[in-house]
Each structure stands twice: as C-alpha cells, then as structure tokens.
Amino acid sequence: MNFGSASFPRIRMRRTRQAPWSRDLVRETTLHAADFIWPIFVVEGEGRIEPVGAMPGVDRISIDIAVERAREAADLGIPCIALFPNIDRSLRTEDCAEAWNPDNLVCRATRAIRAAVPDIGVMEDVALDPYSATGHDGIVRDGIIVNDESVEALVRQALVQAEAGANIIGPSDMMDGRIGAMRDALEGAGHQDVLLLSYAAKYASSFYGPFREAVGADATLKGDKKTYQMDSGNTDEALREVALDLAEGADMVMVKPGLAYLDICQRIKQEFRVPTYAYQVSGEYAMIEAAAANGWIDREKAILESLSAFRRAGCDGILTYYAVEVARMLRASS
Ligand code: PBG
C-alpha cells in the first residue's frame, strides 16, 4: 500500500476518531444479525430447560422450547440455527446406530422447527460423538478411528438429517473423503438443494471442553481427537483441507475454533474467496463469561469486539452462542 509522502500535521489520524458520528462513518466492518448461526443444544422431554454448567447462559432445551427459541431467532433476523443433541446414555453405542435413526432427537427437532419456523435455516452437525460409546466422531475399531467405515456411517447420518428437512449439513468429523461421499449421496437421493458447510479446518483443540459437557461427550470420550482433527501448529494444511472440501462439493467452509485461528480464517478467505465461517466455540464463550463474572472485563464490549474480529478477518459469518443476545443488542442500538 502506498500512502505517498503524507505526513503530520496535514495528516492527523485522530480526525476521523473524534466523535461517534465520524467513527461510525469510517468503520470498515460492522455486525448484523444476518452474520450469525446460532448453535443450540437439544434434549428429550417437554418444557425442559437445563443450564450447561461450563457455559453460563446456555441451556439444553427440549424440542418445544427449541421451536420457541428458533421463532425468536428468526424474528431477530438470524438466518440459521444449528442443532446439537444430548442423547440418553443408553443410546450411545459402539456402532453409533442412533445417528441414522430417522426419528432420533435432532431429526425430530429439525422437523418441528422447519414446520413451525419455515423462515429460518436449520443446520445439523454430522459427526458420531453424541451417539458413540467412546465419544469419538467416527467408528472405533481396536482403538483406531477407522476412516472409510466412518464415512459410510456419516453418509447415513447426513441422509436421515436431509430427509428430516435439514437445510445445511455441517460435517464436523474431519474424516477424509466425507464431503464427496455426502454430496454424491445427497444428489442421489434428490437432495440437491441441501447445503454442505464443511468444518474444513477443524483443529484438535482444548477450547471444545464446555461443548463436550453440553452434549454429554465429556464422560464418554476416550483419548483425544488428534488423529483426525488438525494440529494447531499448521496453516498450509488448512488450505489443502479447504481445497479438497471445495473440490468434493462443499458450498461453504468453516474454521474452528475461532479467535485462536483468525490467521487461518483470513488466509482461507484471501486464497479461495468462498463463503467462510468461523465457530466461536464453547471455550471462547466460557472464557468471556468467566472473566466477566469476575468483573475483569466488560462483558458486552468483549462480546462485540471478539465477534467483529471475525468479520475483520474476512469471515462471512460466525457460529456463536451469543447470536440472539447480540442480535438484540444490535436492534436496541439501531
Ligand atoms: C463434534 C463437535 C464439537 C464441536 C462441534 N461439533 C466437539 C469436538 O469436536 O469434540 C465443538 C463446538 C464448541 O466447542 O462449541 N464433532
């Protein structure tokens, strides 16, 4: 960039910062309700609202409450909601068969939300961890997370979700070849309008801890996910993952976690110029909440600042547990 020979005092950078109106006028990135995908946790029951310990302000909710909250999100202009189930311990098995039961919890939740709130997109996560006796995202044989058999299982899971009305399928499993297999299966089954938002660059991260409590995978998970999720030291590998997923038929790609991987978001957006999302994950949420609860940071300002970082890095949207709260703040301030 060439700024010529401009110098002080002809140039005073503080001129545009002098007042709210001038700051508003020159701001490069702003947040809108339409930037958000709202993840929610679903449980069996009716009228059930169960707080998640490590995520103050986030609940596990039964389908009837999820429908109400989806309505609220749609009314605030949030375009999409993402569903994560916490299923009964007795349904978590070695073969993970509950994942492709067409009447499983997320499929029923999807049908209910699609019927009652047709103006919001419904995204479903594809991965076996909520259904697995070992808490892994794929099928485990002799302690190994086997790739190709996992892909077959994930395809079955994606198909029942599409059948239930999912608008976006979000594979978060990080198996090789899953996007192509899912795209072919969706085309074959007449679901050509279902979007694939690939968790393309998903890192093996300590920031998922509170989420695992929310879906009940903290108690089941044996070992770690380092043989399929990415190593936090790598960048080029993220670009290869994205290139592959796009070639296999992904419509949109995601980086996860968010704030600790903003460089990845920026590089992906610059290289590929495709719809790029970041997941502000449970641990990021928990850190803000914990610091705010101690009076160490200004909660609302920290939330807005962390979300605008994603937009600045080039993300088209953000999966965030703060979606509804921020949409309300934005509405109040406009
Ligand atoms: C499951 C999945 C995880 C998250 C989304 N989908 C956890 C994991 O991979 O262990 C994490 C989301 C969050 O931490 O908010 N495949």
Side-chain angles (χ1 to χ4, degrees), residues 36-317:
F36 305 134
I37 296 178
W38 190 34
I40 61 167
F41 299 107
V42 190
V43 281
E44 291 291 357
E46 217 168 297
R48 200 163 152 199
I49 302 178
E50 225 174 66
V52 177
M55 301 177 75
V58 172
D59 306 308
R60 294 184 204 97
I61 51 180
S62 52
I63 293 176
D64 54 327
I65 309 286
V67 168
E68 283 170 20
R69 294 203 180 168
R71 179 74 268 156
E72 187 188 358
D75 290 345
L76 283 163
I78 293 169
C80 186
I81 191 163
L83 309 181
F84 293 93
N86 181 318
I87 67 162
D88 200 86
R89 195 65 190 266
S90 64
L91 295 170
R92 298 173 194 243
T93 57
E94 300 272 315
D95 66 2
C96 309
E98 181 64 9
W100 49 92
N101 169 2
D103 277 319
N104 69 19
L105 181 59
V106 267
C107 288
R108 278 182 279 124
T110 300
R111 276 189 223 105
I113 294 170
R114 286 297 313 280
V117 194
D119 46 337
I120 199 163
V122 176
M123 169 167 164
E124 286 194 42
D125 203 68
V126 173
L128 301 178
D129 52 328
Y131 306 96
S132 165
T134 54
H136 279 290
D137 295 8
I139 304 277
V140 185
R141 297 265 174 237
D142 301 325
I144 307 280
I145 294 87
V146 291
N147 193 85
D148 302 9
E149 196 182 338
S150 297
V151 170
E152 280 173 35
L154 295 161
V155 165
R156 295 174 79 176
Q157 181 183 18
L159 282 176
V160 296
Q161 295 179 347
E163 210 58 58
N167 304 98
I168 303 184
I169 299 288
S172 72
D173 53 279
M174 289 298 279
M175 298 300 130
D176 287 324
R178 89 268 209 225
I179 298 297
M182 280 176 211
R183 176 54 80 207
D184 291 348
L186 289 169
E187 284 290 324
H191 296 300
Q192 66 273 8
D193 289 335
V194 171
L195 287 91
L196 280 172
L197 199 182
S198 159
Y199 289 64
K202 178 172 176 179
Y203 288 84
S205 170
S206 54
F207 291 105
Y208 307 148
F211 172 96
R212 291 181 191 161
E213 181 201 325
V215 299
D218 53 339
T220 48
L221 183 60
K222 296 197 175 45
D224 58 45
K225 300 193 175 185
K226 290 184 177 170
T227 68
Y228 47 107
Q229 298 180 349
M230 282 181 56
D231 187 290
S232 66
N234 296 349
T235 309
D236 291 338
E237 190 185 347
L239 299 187
R240 279 185 86 186
E241 285 282 5
V242 169
L244 280 168
D245 286 358
L246 292 171
E248 290 178 28
D251 302 286
M252 312 183 275
V253 294
M254 194 202 300
V255 175
K256 179 180 173 196
L259 219 50
Y261 297 87
L262 277 187
D263 56 325
I264 311 294
C265 299
Q266 187 171 35
R267 247 189 111 186
I268 288 174
K269 188 63 184 179
Q270 282 177 353
E271 296 273 343
F272 296 97
R273 298 272 152 207
V274 296
T276 303
Y277 297 79
Y279 198 141
Q280 182 185 51
V281 299
S282 57
E284 300 175 60
Y285 177 93
M287 287 196 298
I288 292 176
E289 291 303 314
N294 277 292
W296 296 335
I297 52 170
D298 180 316
R299 184 175 172 280
E300 292 198 359
K301 287 187 182 137
I303 293 170
L304 294 171
E305 190 177 331
S306 63
L307 290 171
S308 64
F310 296 114
R311 298 280 298 130
R312 214 178 51 235
C315 291
D316 296 281

Side-chain angles (χ1 to χ4, degrees), residues 24 30-33 76 304 326-334:
D24 284 348
T30 46
L31 289 170
H32 305 278
L76 283 163
L304 294 171
V326 172
R328 271 199 223 108
M329 280 186 219
L330 295 172
R331 184 159 288 192
S333 69
S334 65

